[in-house]
Amino acid sequence: MHSTSSYRHEHIYLGTNHDRNTRRTLWVVALTAVMMVAEIAAGYFTGSMALLADGFHMATHTGALAIAAGAYVFARRHAHDSRFSFGTGKVGDLAGFASALVLAVIAVGIGGESLWRLASPDTVNFGEAIPIAVVGLIVNIASALLLMEGHHDHHAHGHHAHDEHEHTHHQDHHHVGHDNNLRSAYLHVVADALTSVLAIAALLAGLYLGWTWLDPLMGVVGAVVIARWSYSLLRTSAGVLLDMTDAQVAARIEQALASQEVQIDDLHVWRIGPSARAAIVSVSTSTAVTEGQLRHKLAGLGELHHLTLELRQR
């Protein structure tokens, strides 16, 4: 039996900012957790339902942010685990999908409660609620600033060569990809900030203008916006998890091989990391073109980090 060690190589598709994003996300989890505990504790001691409600609302965001942080830690810890055929670069997309579901639940909850309040207005303690919303907004702004700088991730990979089915890793420090895990954490923070801004505006209008109806109406507006963000994140992360074809990279592969007098018989391109793509390319030709020449033509595609190429003579 032949040893497989000759063609085994690592498949690490974590970004150069992966560890920094982990630290920043953990800081945001800590901030929101402290705010959550403080609001719930203050609510119990003061008997304020507004504090309790906002505290438990903050708990859902803390949980979702913890999922994002956990995904970063898991991806790093298992980056060298050979059980993951293409590495752990898509763990963040799985976490992003889960966080998007949490966002959707939050949107439904806010929307349902707001519609109920529109139909059955309740007394609002504006003087008590405004400071809570302001403190929450400050925490969310600080969290957003922590996550904003790392909102795009750069990825670097090694290079390896083998036989006709060689897997080639290209290195490109300039290509920027979308990190759905970081995006999910960022959206949770921004969603909470949005609800705080809308709440402050509505509470001020209720306090000084008597527009009590504006508070639940702003809740409906916020729910619609959050639902749209949730749908967008669900769509993009699900596409990655289901190995949806990257049409842009596929078109670039076809363009790169167009001048080589080959026929593309089969082409699969999918995402294996925030800025990394894998491809299986099967081509046939009646000319003397070599596999090395074809690989050279594809070497310029910086996002193509893992290539399996099959060349057949007609």
Side-chain angles (χ1 to χ4, degrees), residues 7 9-13 86 156-172 253 270 272 276-281 291-310:
Y7 62 81
H9 53 277
E10 292 183 333
H11 298 76
I12 302 176
Y13 301 108
F86 286 95
H157 308 277
H159 182 84
H160 179 81
H162 189 55
D163 56 18
E164 184 176 345
H165 294 279
E166 169 192 4
H167 302 296
T168 304
H169 299 253
H170 303 287
Q171 188 170 353
D172 181 11
I253 291 174
W270 69 100
I272 53 177
R277 306 294 182 269
I280 299 175
V281 186
E291 181 183 331
Q293 290 174 315
L294 298 180
R295 289 187 177 279
H296 179 72
K297 293 295 293 185
L298 296 175
L301 277 65
E303 59 270 78
L304 187 57
H305 292 258
H306 200 290
L307 172 65
T308 301
L309 178 63
E310 179 184 37

Side-chain angles (χ1 to χ4, degrees), residues 109-119 215-221 223:
I110 293 175
E113 178 66 19
S114 298
L115 289 173
W116 176 262
R117 291 289 183 91
L118 275 173
D215 182 59
L217 182 61
M218 286 298 189
V220 173
V221 172

Side-chain angles (χ1 to χ4, degrees), residues 32 35-36 39 53-63 136 140 192:
T32 54
M35 182 69 185
M36 172 195 72
E39 287 188 340
D54 200 59
F56 284 112
H57 170 71
M58 186 73 76
T60 60
H61 286 289
T62 304
N140 287 317
D192 216 22

Side-chain angles (χ1 to χ4, degrees), residues 149-189:
E149 187 177 341
H151 200 33
H152 294 289
D153 215 351
H154 297 264
H155 295 254
H157 308 277
H159 182 84
H160 179 81
H162 189 55
D163 56 18
E164 184 176 345
H165 294 279
E166 169 192 4
H167 302 296
T168 304
H169 299 253
H170 303 287
Q171 188 170 353
D172 181 11
H173 294 277
H174 304 289
H175 181 75
V176 179
H178 295 288
D179 184 339
N180 281 326
N181 193 34
L182 187 66
R183 182 186 172 203
S184 68
Y186 184 75
L187 283 181
H188 271 281
V189 170

Side-chain angles (χ1 to χ4, degrees), residues 50 110-111 113-118 120-126 129-130 133 195-207 210-223:
I110 293 175
E113 178 66 19
S114 298
L115 289 173
W116 176 262
R117 291 289 183 91
L118 275 173
S120 304
D122 198 3
T123 302
V124 179
N125 189 331
F126 297 107
I130 290 174
T195 57
S196 295
V197 169
L198 294 177
I200 291 170
L203 291 170
L204 288 173
L207 180 63
W211 294 356
T212 56
W213 50 267
L214 191 59
D215 182 59
L217 182 61
M218 286 298 189
V220 173
V221 172

